[in-house]
Amino acid sequence: MKAFWTATALAVCLAGCSTVPNEANTLPAVSGQTSEEARIADLLSRMSIERKVAQLVQPQINSFTAEDMRRYRFGSYLNGGNGGPYGDEFAEASEWLKLADEMYLASVEPLEGNEPVIPMMWGTDAVHGHTNVIRATIFPHNIGLGATRDADLVRRIGEATATEIAVTGIDWNFSPTVAVARDDRWGRTYESYSEDPAIVAPLGAALIEGLQGRQGDPDRLRGQHVIATAKHFFGDGGTDQGVDQGEVTGDIESLKAIHAAPYPAAIDAGVEAVMASFNSINGRKMHGNEALLTGVLRDELGFDGLVVGDWNGHGQVAGCTNTDCPQSLLAGLDIYMVPDEWRGLLETTVAQVRDGTIPMARLDEAVGRVLRVKMRAGLLDEFVRPSQRPVAGRYDLLGSAEHRAIAREAVAKSQVLLKNNGVLPLKAGATVLVAGSAADDIAQAAGGWTLTWQGGGDLDNEYFPGATSIWQGLKAATEESGGTAMLAPDGDYTTRPDVAIVVFGEEPYAEFAGDRKNVAFSDEEGLALLRRFEAEDIPTVAVFLSGRPMWVNRELNAADAFVAAWLPGSEGAGIADVLTGTEPSTGRLSFSWPRGCDAGPVNGPEKALFPVGYGLSLTQRSSLPMLDESCDALLAASGSDWFVNGRFEQGITAVAGGVALPDLRGAGGGVTARGIDRNAQEDSREITFTPGSALTISQTEEGEGAYRIVYRVRQRPQQTVTLTTGSATLSLTQPLSVAAEKDWREMVITEECASGLGNELTIASEGAFTLDIATIERDNLPEGTACSF
Ligand code: BGC
Ligand code: BGC
C-alpha cells in the first residue's frame, strides 16, 4: 500500500525538514525496472491530462500565486527580464530563494489518489551572470567573450554563473545564446559570440559545460550546477535587415550551415534544453515549424532534451493566439512560455487533448521530455526544497571575489585594440584625465539584461554593490603606478593631464529595442571630447562601449588609441589592466568592423575596415590613414520619433507628479505606466490615471511637426480627459469615448486644433482612466491637415 502525504507531514516539513518523503512518487513502481524510460512511463501512466498539460505551461512569476501553483502544478515557471520576486525586481537574493521555496512546496503538496507529485523548475535569463539579481557578478556580454576565443574562461564563467543561480534556488538558465549574428543592426548582436559559427560553437558548448557540469561527471546537473538552454533555434541572427523576430530567407541547407551550426556542439556538450526562436524561416515561424523543430533538431541532430518556447512565441504562429496553439506542440515544442495568459492556454490545450486535436502520444512525448530533464537534474530523486540544496543561501558566493576575478580576467581578454599611435600602454606615474559620462556608469558598461530587461535608465552605481566602474579601475591602477587620476565627465580640468581617456558608447538596450536602421554611431559626446583634447594637444585613448561593431570613423580619426571594450559588466578594472599593460592585449574581433555607416550586413571582407581576427597587441603600433567621415545616415534627421518600440528617443522624458518615468515606465503622482505587448513584448504602455493625475511627456530640444499618437482605450472615460500642448488644451473625453473598446487607432494633433503646438504633451484625467499608448511621433504634415482621433 502506498503512503501519501498528509497535512501533518506537510506542516512538519514547512517547519524545516530538508528532504520531503513522498512515497507516491518514489520509484521504481513498475516491475523492478529502474531505467529512466521505465520511470517516465510509470509517472505518465499515473498523471491526469490536466497535470500533464500543466507540465508544458510556463508562466512568469508575477502572474500566478503559490495557490495557483498548488492548484495547477505548472511544470516550470520563469522570471522575465523585468520580473522579480513579489513584484520587486531589485529584491535581495534571500527573497528570490524564499519565493523558490514557496513555489516548490506548493508544487510538491500531495495529490489525490495515485497521482505522482512532480516538483517544479524555475528558469531565468542569466545571460551574462545571474544579473537579474542584485550583487551578482556581471560578466561581459557574449560579444566580448567571443573576442577572447577562450573556451576555458567561458567554462569557468558558466560554473560561476551556475553557482550564483544555485545560491538563489533557481534550477534552470535560458543561456547560452548561440546565435550567429550576421547583421549588426540587430538589437541582440551582443548576445552573439561571433558572426562566425566556428567561433560560436565551442564557446556555447563551453558555457553549457560550465553551467551543467561535464558529461560523465558525477555532479553534472547536481549541486552547484543548473540546466542550460541553447537558444534560439534557429536563425535568430539571420533575419532580413537584422530585424528582431523577423524573417530569414534562403536555401535551407545554407541557412543551417550558419545558424544551426552551433547546435551539434551544444548537444554534444549535453545541453538539456533548447529554446525555439521567434523568427520565421522562409515564411514559417519556428514555433510552428515541424520540419525544423522535429525533423532537424530531433531527428537529424539527435537532441533528446526539452524544447521550450520563447515569450508567447507560439502566439505568433499563423492561426494561433497566446491561449490557443496546438500547432506548436504538434510541431515539436514541449513547453509553452506563456508569461501571463497561462490559464486560457491550459484550458484550451486540455480540451484539445480531449477532442483528439492533440494526440495523447504527442502529449506524453512532450511531458516525458520534461520529466526526463527533471530526472537527470535529480529533481525527482528526493524532494529537497531549494533552500536546502548545496550552496543555496550562501549569499557570500553572489559576486564573490573569486567570481569577480574571473569576470575581470574576461574583461581584460575581451578588449580589442583597434588603433594605437603609441600612447598605450599608459606610462607609470602619469596624470590621467578620465572623461565621458560613461566612465563611471556601471549600468552602461553592463548593457541590457542587467537588473532590468533593458538595463540602463536610472540604474545608478548604487544598484551595483561590490562592482567597479571603468573609472574606479583606472583610478586604482593609475595611483598604484604613482600617478594621478581625475574624473571629469565633461572633460574640464584644472591640472593639464598627460593623457585623456574618453569613455563613451551606446546606451543599454535589449532585444528589438536595440534594432537600428544603420550602424552609424551618432552620439557626439565622445567625439567632441576627443576633438577638444586633440586641439589641446593632449594624447587620447578612446574606450568605446557597444553591443556591436559600429561606424566610428570620426572617433577613430580623432583618437590616438582606440579600444573596443564591448559591454564589460561589473569589473571595470579589467580595462585598466590592459591599458596599463598589466595584462597583454589579446582580444581579437569576432565580428568584422564596418568601414561605412550605411545600412546592411557588414560581414563581407570588402565592407570591413577591420576583419574578424583583427586586434593589436600593446607592442604593435598602427596609425590608420584618415578615414572617410561622410555618412548620409547622420544627415537624415531623426528625432521625430518620441516613443517607438517601447523606448524614448534621446531627449524625450516623461514626468508625473515630479517623478521621472524613464521610457514611459514606472509610477508617480497617481500615474502608473507599465509595459504591454502590441506587436512585440512591451513595445507599448498601459497608462493608468488616478483621479486628478497628469502625465507630461516632453522633448528637450526644440522640435517641430504634428503629433501622431497610436493609442487604444479599453473603457470609456467617465470624467474629463484633456491634452495640453503649448498654449492649447483639448478635451479628449469625447474622442476617447468613441475609441473605447475598439482596436488601436491613431490620433493626429496639428495646428488646426492646437495652435502653437509645444514641445510638451500633458494628458490629465479628472477621473480614473486607463489609456494604452503604442507610439508617439512628430511629423511634418501638409499645412492645414486637420486633427483626427
Ligand atoms: C518582459 C521581460 C522579458 C522580456 C522577454 C518583457 O516583456 O518584461 O521580463 O524578459 O519581455 O522578451
Ligand atoms: C527572449 C528570450 C528570453 C525570454 C525570457 C524572450 O523575449 O527572446 O531570450 O529567454 O524572453 O525572458
Side-chain angles (χ1 to χ4, degrees):
M1 214 197 106
K2 300 213 181 285
F4 295 108
W5 260 34
T6 61
T8 358
L10 178 70
V12 169
C13 202
L14 284 170
C17 79
S18 57
T19 302
V20 181
N22 184 305
E23 293 177 32
N25 190 48
T26 314
L27 298 164
V30 274
S31 59
Q33 286 176 292
T34 53
S35 74
E36 248 176 28
E37 297 316 306
R39 291 180 68 186
I40 291 168
D42 167 60
L43 292 172
L44 286 171
S45 73
R46 293 190 280 134
M47 290 172 80
S48 65
I49 292 177
E50 286 79 359
R51 299 279 184 243
K52 286 179 182 175
V53 170
Q55 287 297 311
L56 313 185
V57 169
Q58 183 177 85
Q60 61 101 357
I61 52 175
N62 296 317
S63 78
F64 68 96
T65 61
E67 187 44 46
D68 292 323
M69 176 58 95
R70 206 166 284 125
R71 170 143 179 229
Y72 297 101
R73 310 292 169 117
F74 311 109
S76 59
Y77 60 85
L78 85 151
N79 64 277
N82 279 333
Y86 311 104
D88 178 6
E89 58 185 332
F90 305 118
E92 287 293 333
S94 53
E95 293 293 293
W96 293 74
L97 186 55
K98 185 174 156 211
L99 183 69
D101 264 5
E102 194 176 319
M103 290 303 171
Y104 182 86
L105 290 173
S107 80
V108 298
E109 272 192 30
L111 290 167
E112 297 274 295
N114 194 22
E115 222 186 328
V117 162
I118 314 285
M120 61 72 176
M121 321 185 258
W122 179 346
T124 193
D125 291 290
V127 301
H128 64 142
H130 192 22
T131 54
N132 279 291
V133 181
I134 231 144
R135 273 172 230 283
T137 311
I138 304 169
F139 295 94
H141 270 295
N142 288 352
I143 194 166
L145 300 182
T148 73
R149 310 285 201 282
D150 188 339
D152 175 64
L153 168 68
V154 172
R155 188 176 299 108
R156 286 183 285 127
I157 291 175
E159 279 165 8
T161 302
T163 300
E164 297 200 11
I165 296 172
V167 166
T168 55
I170 296 176
D171 312 88
W172 178 8
N173 189 4
F174 302 136
S175 164
T177 300
V178 292
V180 183
R182 302 292 274 195
D183 189 320
D184 305 339
R185 292 174 292 179
W186 187 35
R188 303 189 81 158
T189 300
Y190 66 80
E191 293 187 58
S192 170
Y193 293 108
S194 175
E195 69 186 36
D196 180 354
I199 296 174
V200 175
L203 297 181
L207 195 85
I208 291 162
E209 289 185 342
L211 289 168
Q212 299 193 152
R214 295 198 207 212
Q215 301 266 46
D217 284 356
D219 65 344
R220 177 172 180 271
L221 295 170
R222 295 289 195 285
Q224 315 195 13
H225 292 125
V226 297
I227 298 159
T229 310
K231 73 186 187 185
H232 311 80
F233 188 82
F234 78 84
D236 46 357
T239 59
D240 298 342
Q241 307 188 45
V243 170
D244 192 40
Q245 311 191 5
E247 165 78 9
V248 178
T249 46
D251 157 63
I252 195 69
E253 289 308 319
S254 325
L255 293 175
K256 273 162 65 184
I258 297 171
H259 300 287
Y263 287 87
I267 294 168
D268 275 352
V271 75
E272 293 291 345
V274 165
M275 188 181 289
S277 195
F278 277 127
N279 59 272
S280 42
I281 296 192
N282 295 326
R284 264 206 112 124
K285 282 280 172 185
M286 279 303 303
H287 278 65
N289 202 323
E290 187 180 4
L292 303 179
L293 277 189
T294 299
V296 173
L297 182 59
R298 300 282 180 193
D299 303 344
E300 215 175 293
L301 303 180
F303 175 63
D304 76 345
L306 66 82
V307 176
V308 61
D310 203 343
W311 193 273
N312 283 331
H314 59 276
Q316 297 187 19
V317 173
C320 287
T321 65
N322 293 345
T323 54
D324 182 354
C325 192
Q327 289 91 323
S328 282
L329 192 60
L330 294 172
L333 191 89
D334 300 312
I335 294 181
Y336 295 90
M337 185 185 287
V338 54
D340 302 307
E341 293 160 273
W342 50 268
R343 200 184 298 269
L345 183 69
L346 258 175
E347 282 167 11
T348 328
T349 310
V350 167
Q352 284 156 352
V353 175
R354 291 235 158 81
D355 73 14
T357 309
I358 297 170
M360 189 61 83
R362 174 63 196 119
L363 177 68
D364 283 352
E365 181 181 56
V367 178
R369 286 177 179 149
V370 176
L371 297 178
R372 193 173 299 115
V373 170
K374 290 186 175 182
M375 207 170 274
R376 290 179 185 167
L379 292 169
L380 305 187
D381 292 342
E382 14 163 45
F383 290 176
V384 184
R385 66 173 159 175
S387 64
Q388 302 297 324
R389 299 177 190 165
V391 310
R394 286 275 316 274
Y395 303 119
D396 58 311
L397 294 174
L398 204 60
S400 68
E402 197 192 323
H403 295 169
R404 291 189 188 277
I406 299 171
R408 180 169 173 174
E409 173 187 343
V411 174
K413 287 181 169 169
S414 63
Q415 301 307 298
V416 182
L417 184 52
L418 297 178
K419 174 180 181 177
N420 184 11
N421 284 352
V423 56
L424 291 178
L426 299 173
K427 295 185 185 47
T431 299
V432 177
L433 183 75
V434 181
S437 56
D440 194 28
D441 185 341
I442 296 167
Q444 187 170 350
W449 296 107
T450 304
L451 295 183
T452 62
W453 179 38
Q454 294 293 325
D458 36 338
L459 298 176
D460 59 31
N461 290 355
E462 313 255 291
Y463 283 89
F464 302 95
T468 304
S469 70
I470 296 171
W471 147 249
Q472 288 165 333
L474 284 165
K475 176 174 191 291
T478 306
E479 287 171 359
E480 211 165 287
S481 82
T484 312
M486 306 172 291
L487 176 66
D490 58 5
D492 291 344
Y493 55 85
T494 41
T495 312
R496 186 184 162 87
D498 300 320
V499 58
I501 300 176
V502 180
V503 187
F504 63 102
E506 287 189 293
E507 298 283 345
Y509 50 79
E511 300 191 40
F512 50 84
D515 285 359
R516 297 286 177 265
K517 295 197 181 79
N518 57 65
V519 292
F521 180 70
S522 57
D523 183 273
E524 301 200 345
E525 184 211 13
L527 180 64
L529 287 166
L530 290 168
R531 285 186 173 157
R532 165 173 160 196
F533 296 128
E534 187 183 31
E536 293 170 1
D537 247 340
I538 296 170
T540 52
V541 179
V543 174
F544 182 55
L545 298 171
S546 71
R548 56 185 130 215
M550 298 193 83
W551 179 86
V552 283
N553 287 6
R554 299 178 300 171
E555 290 83 353
L556 280 163
N557 284 341
D560 294 293
F562 192 106
V563 181
W566 315 113
L567 299 169
S570 61
E571 304 317 307
I575 291 177
D577 290 342
V578 175
L579 300 191
T580 56
T582 309
E583 295 294 336
S585 164
T586 54
R588 300 293 177 261
L589 292 178
S590 62
F591 281 84
S592 46
W593 198 278
R595 178 180 293 279
C597 82
D598 51 334
V602 293
N603 304 297
E606 66 296 342
K607 287 193 165 182
L609 175 60
F610 305 114
V612 169
Y614 184 84
L616 302 170
S617 71
L618 281 171
T619 52
Q620 285 173 300
R621 299 280 167 273
S622 106
S623 312
L624 294 168
M626 274 308 263
L627 302 169
D628 183 2
E629 298 196 353
S630 62
C631 168
D632 291 344
L634 290 182
L635 301 175
S638 68
S640 62
D641 294 348
W642 276 30
F643 180 75
V644 276
N645 274 339
R647 285 173 76 92
F648 278 145
E649 195 59 31
Q650 248 183 342
I652 309 296
T653 51
V655 177
V659 179
L661 309 181
D663 281 334
L664 199 46
R665 201 195 280 281
V671 174
T672 306
R674 68 172 197 98
I676 53 167
D677 305 351
R678 180 180 173 230
N679 296 322
Q681 305 95 303
E682 299 204 5
D683 60 351
S684 307
R685 296 292 180 268
E686 176 194 82
I687 302 169
T688 310
F689 295 86
T690 55
S693 60
L695 167 73
T696 298
I697 307 176
S698 53
Q699 182 171 24
T700 344
E701 278 169 22
E702 192 64 23
E704 51 174 22
Y707 287 97
R708 313 180 77 123
I709 304 174
V710 174
Y711 73 105
R712 181 176 65 177
V713 181
R714 278 184 262 188
Q715 275 190 335
R716 63 201 315 251
Q718 299 300 322
Q719 293 179 57
T720 310
V721 179
T722 56
L723 183 145
T724 306
T725 176
S727 50
T729 293
L730 314 174
S731 171
L732 294 183
T733 323
Q734 156 70 11
L736 294 181
S737 301
V738 172
E741 290 173 56
K742 310 245 168 62
D743 205 358
W744 295 93
R745 53 205 285 150
E746 190 177 56
M747 171 186 315
V748 180
I749 311 282
T750 66
E751 297 272 351
E752 287 293 296
C753 65
S755 63
L757 286 175
N759 291 313
E760 200 170 272
L761 282 180
T762 297
I763 302 172
S765 179
E766 278 177 15
F769 176 59
T770 300
L771 177 68
D772 296 344
I773 293 186
T775 57
I776 307 175
E777 291 167 72
R778 290 195 81 170
D779 227 346
N780 283 311
L781 299 178
E783 189 124 357
T785 306
C787 291
S788 58
F789 296 92

